[in-house]
Amino acid sequence: MGPEELAIITNPQFINATFSAGENWYHGMVARAREAQALSQRRNSFEAANAQYALVNQQILEGARQQNEKWKAFANDLVKKHDEYAVLAKRLLDEKSALLRDEVISGCALERKLDEERASSSEKDVGIARLQNDLAGVRGTLAATQESLTYERQKVAALQAENEKLRAALSAVESDRQRLHEDNAAFLSAADHFEQKCKDLESDLERSQHALQEEEAQNLTLSHDLQNAHLVNEAFSSASLLALPLMEQTRGLWAAQGKPSMMDTPLASHCRSDGQPLTVSEYLWFATLMREMTAHNAPDHLVSTYCPVAHRGDFLTRPVTIQEKRPD
């Protein structure tokens, strides 16, 4: 490096301007790093809450499925018992009806027999005197028969009353059966409701997992940005430690020789990415920063962002020439 270049990089104005820009950028990078750490903490909290939410959802789903199975088994058992009761009641009703028919037939037979006895007594009125003793016996038999008929009629009445009770019991059983069917329908409806709720919870869980994946992708991007920020920060720190003292030293040499500062003098050999020529101070800063970012393995797109110069491929090896002042 020649005396002119040394004088350029040691210019105090160039050093102060470069140091101020680097310090502002450094504070901005620190703020973004803190924001990335806060986002990482929020991600950890979100992951813990989502894991707890998934566990609660699984417990609710399992409980709903078990309750649904219990309700279905209970409903099927009630229907089975009701069918057994209906069969038993019908069988009892059929038996009582058959017994009642037999009793009625027996009573009718006794009445016919009584009519036959009366007819026989009328035909034997001529010998009633001789058959008074037999008639007394017949009257006794008739009285017994009447008592038997009365008893049979009472039995028929009792059977009819019992038949009415059985009919009432069968009606109550039918009512219970209808109520059980309604309860079963209500149970099945509740089970369908719980199944739908379980499906809704599963959908919520899928949406939460999708949101978590998006959050993880965002955090991964922030992590890469934070890592790049650390690389750029280290490069800026190193470049500041190298370029600023050199510029200060150059300014001191120019001042000692009584020469004006050339830090703001434009270069003819190096330009910005927009085509504007670089000043001596800008060249020294960008050259130092580019070397440090390359040494710290910073990605190429970061080098392009923080060193916006034209023809970056030979920027460091191209000879430096200063524009000649035009005569007034």
Side-chain angles (χ1 to χ4, degrees), residues 101-114:
R101 286 194 297 270
D102 293 341
E103 293 294 337
V104 171
I105 292 172
S106 177
C108 292
L110 288 175
E111 288 181 354
R112 286 195 299 271
K113 184 177 180 180
L114 179 60

Side-chain angles (χ1 to χ4, degrees), residues 83-314:
D83 293 339
E84 292 176 356
Y85 291 153
V87 171
L88 178 60
K90 187 176 182 302
R91 186 176 64 188
L92 291 175
L93 181 60
D94 292 340
E95 291 177 357
K96 292 297 183 179
S97 297
L99 182 60
L100 179 61
R101 286 194 297 270
D102 293 341
E103 293 294 337
V104 171
I105 292 172
S106 177
C108 292
L110 288 175
E111 288 181 354
R112 286 195 299 271
K113 184 177 180 180
L114 179 60
D115 292 338
E116 291 174 359
E117 291 292 337
R118 286 175 179 175
S120 177
S121 296
S122 298
E123 292 175 356
K124 294 178 181 181
D125 284 340
V126 178
I128 193 170
R130 294 176 300 172
L131 298 176
Q132 286 181 351
N133 294 331
D134 294 335
L135 182 57
V138 171
R139 287 177 178 175
T141 302
L142 180 59
T145 302
Q146 288 178 345
E147 291 179 358
S148 177
L149 181 59
T150 302
Y151 176 71
E152 292 299 329
R153 287 176 176 173
Q154 291 175 351
K155 287 177 64 177
V156 170
L159 290 174
Q160 288 177 345
E162 188 173 357
N163 187 23
E164 292 298 327
K165 291 181 180 178
L166 289 175
R167 289 182 184 276
L170 180 60
S171 178
V173 169
E174 288 294 335
S175 298
D176 292 340
R177 181 179 181 182
Q178 182 65 27
R179 187 173 62 255
L180 289 175
H181 279 296
E182 293 175 356
D183 293 342
N184 187 29
F187 289 152
L188 293 177
S189 177
D192 294 338
H193 175 71
F194 273 103
E195 288 180 358
Q196 183 62 39
K197 188 174 182 180
C198 292
K199 291 180 181 179
D200 294 339
L201 291 174
E202 289 177 353
S203 299
D204 293 340
L205 178 60
E206 291 178 357
R207 287 193 294 270
S208 298
Q209 291 176 347
H210 181 68
L212 177 60
Q213 292 175 356
E214 293 180 351
E215 184 74 15
E216 289 177 348
Q218 183 178 4
N219 288 337
L220 181 60
T221 302
L222 290 175
S223 178
H224 289 163
D225 293 341
L226 181 61
Q227 183 178 3
N228 292 334
H230 282 302
L231 293 176
V232 174
N233 184 28
E234 292 176 356
F236 263 83
S237 298
S238 300
S240 298
L241 293 176
L242 293 174
L244 297 182
L246 182 60
M247 293 178 183
E248 186 66 26
Q249 183 180 1
T250 302
R251 286 191 181 90
L253 291 175
W254 281 341
Q257 296 175 8
K259 295 181 179 180
S261 174
M262 298 179 64
M263 287 295 176
D264 296 329
T265 303
L267 299 179
S269 56
H270 294 77
C271 298
R272 291 178 174 271
S273 57
D274 58 0
Q276 295 296 324
L278 293 173
T279 63
V280 174
S281 60
E282 290 175 337
Y283 168 77
L284 292 176
W285 172 249
F286 285 136
T288 306
L289 181 60
M290 191 180 298
R291 288 192 185 96
E292 292 303 318
M293 292 185 73
T294 303
H296 285 84
N297 297 320
D300 189 67
H301 71 278
L302 292 179
V303 179
S304 299
T305 300
Y306 293 100
C307 298
V309 297
H311 308 292
R312 189 164 52 85
D314 62 343

